[in-house]
Amino acid sequence: MARRGDPPEGTPEGLPGGEDEYRSVVFDESFVRAARVQEFSAEERMGEHAPAVRSVPGGGRSPSKQILLLVLVVAVAFGTAVYLGIRQPHQPPAARPAEQLRITLVPLAPQGPVPGGTPTELFAHSPAAQYRSGAAGITLPAVRRTAHFTEGQVLIALATAKDYLVESSLDPDVLTGGVVRPVRALLHPDQLAQFDRSMAAPTADGRHVAAGWLVRFDPSKVALADPTVRVEGTLLVTEAGADALEVTSDHTFVYALRSASTAGPVSDEASLFTVRREMRFRVDRDDLRHHRLEVQASAVQAGPQDCASDATGTLQPLLASRRSGTDGPAVTDPYAPGPAVAALCGALSPEAQPSP
């Protein structure tokens, strides 16, 4: 017989609400305390505007922890993207290492006694009479942008080449003082070992001749009779590809020299010594930023000096009234335009000497 409140047919089987459905569920104290929402007591609900339920703290993650987790996920994703970007196989190739400098030195032997006189007289009666003095003789050409370099970058390449020529050909401390730091500071780091060996242990191997890098004389034998050097020549810049510029220089430097010692039979008169330097420089984008260059080739003609003298470390000028013990096979004029003649020794053209 059905109880009061039950349906006339009794409780249907299989439908919610049966007594057996929740018989296994025990709502003990720990279950109630773990609930996220709890109902207020009757006394608490009597208060004005009191809500029916309250939230129980301590369940789930706090908003600050969720934000921290989100930031961590974003940071990991960003770091992964950066790592994968670095590991991509299509990155630009590493910078090309600098080549070793190739050097050619041709001594020019006089065909008679070396003319002597005062520096003013000698310059006035030589092919260098109209040459400019010092760095003013190293003029820059008109600067134009190239396919891959701006006008400013081309100017920097030319200015760096000029600085190298000034430091290595005109600085009195380099010429007769044995100083090399101003020249070394302008070189590509890959060439420093070759440069240092050329200065410390020069050899006639076409790679380690000091005159290929700079002009210098033995201060125990030679002194500058006039600190002003006469210079004339050209600079030319072209592209050596999309990543580098090539600067070529062809300059003739004329020095007034005298003996470093007043004792002995050597004349106190000055004499002229001519050095023609044809050089090729390479300047890449990294060199432009660091104000440096790579010296790729250096061809030097220098005289008057004896072809039998050892000029690998310092040039060996023949001073006023001196004669050469050897004659060069071909007459060479270091003032003449055009490419230098490749030879082991040359005869200094009389036209390259000051007239009587």
Side-chain angles (χ1 to χ4, degrees):
M1 184 175 183
R3 290 176 298 178
R4 186 185 300 271
D6 290 338
E9 297 82 6
T11 303
E13 294 182 3
L15 294 178
E19 294 181 1
D20 293 337
E21 182 178 359
Y22 300 103
R23 182 165 299 173
S24 62
V25 179
V26 178
F27 297 96
D28 56 9
E29 185 178 356
S30 62
F31 179 86
V32 174
R33 289 180 178 177
R36 294 291 304 278
V37 178
Q38 293 181 358
E39 184 179 3
F40 284 97
S41 64
E43 183 179 353
E44 290 173 329
R45 289 199 300 270
M46 291 176 64
E48 184 177 1
H49 304 301
V53 295
R54 63 177 169 221
S55 297
V56 179
R61 296 185 179 91
S62 65
S64 60
K65 291 183 178 180
Q66 292 178 344
I67 294 175
L68 180 60
L69 179 61
L70 178 61
V71 171
L72 181 62
V73 171
V74 172
V76 171
F78 179 76
T80 302
V82 171
Y83 175 78
L84 293 177
I86 295 175
R87 298 284 294 179
Q88 286 296 323
H90 301 294
Q91 292 296 315
R96 180 189 67 84
E99 300 177 2
Q100 282 205 329
L101 170 60
R102 299 186 299 276
I103 302 168
T104 303
L105 173 60
V106 180
L108 301 179
Q111 295 181 305
V114 176
T118 66
T120 302
E121 293 172 341
L122 294 171
F123 281 128
H125 294 86
S126 76
Q130 304 302 319
Y131 282 14
R132 296 184 179 182
S133 299
I138 306 175
T139 57
L140 302 184
V143 177
R144 297 182 178 86
R145 64 172 298 130
T146 65
H148 300 95
F149 290 87
T150 66
E151 183 177 311
Q153 290 172 321
V154 173
L155 179 60
I156 292 174
L158 287 168
T160 304
K162 177 175 179 176
D163 288 345
Y164 183 89
L165 293 172
V166 169
E167 298 296 348
S168 64
S169 309
L170 303 177
D171 187 340
D173 292 333
V174 173
L175 295 176
T176 58
V179 176
V180 299
R181 185 183 298 273
V183 180
R184 192 180 190 274
L186 294 169
L187 291 174
H188 190 285
D190 292 347
Q191 292 191 312
L192 295 181
Q194 183 188 5
F195 175 83
D196 292 341
R197 179 179 168 186
S198 301
M199 299 300 110
T203 55
D205 59 357
R207 299 286 184 179
H208 301 94
V209 179
W213 302 94
L214 49 80
V215 177
R216 71 173 179 178
F217 307 104
D218 186 344
S220 66
K221 300 178 181 179
V222 177
L224 294 175
D226 188 336
T228 301
V229 182
R230 301 296 178 93
V231 188
E232 184 167 285
T234 59
L235 281 170
L236 177 65
V237 61
T238 58
E239 277 198 4
D243 297 322
L245 292 167
E246 181 179 279
V247 182
T248 56
S249 68
D250 184 358
H251 291 82
T252 300
F253 302 86
V254 187
Y255 306 87
L257 305 177
R258 62 173 178 82
S259 173
S261 174
T262 58
V266 179
S267 171
D268 289 334
E269 289 185 312
S271 59
L272 298 187
F273 189 77
T274 305
V275 179
R276 181 179 177 183
R277 305 181 74 192
E278 293 182 272
M279 309 194 73
R280 185 173 75 249
F281 309 100
R282 186 180 188 274
V283 185
D284 62 24
R285 298 183 186 278
D286 201 35
D287 294 331
L288 291 173
R289 290 191 293 269
H290 292 88
H291 190 62
R292 68 191 186 198
L293 44 71
E294 172 188 341
V295 190
Q296 293 188 316
S298 176
V300 181
Q301 298 175 339
Q305 64 179 332
D306 199 316
C307 292
S309 62
D310 182 9
T312 57
T314 59
L315 297 173
Q316 302 294 324
L318 288 171
L319 301 177
S321 74
R322 289 292 188 88
R323 292 176 177 268
S324 172
T326 57
D327 292 329
V331 175
T332 304
D333 185 355
Y335 293 90
V341 178
L344 295 177
C345 180
L348 182 62
S349 171
E351 296 180 358
Q353 294 275 49
S355 60

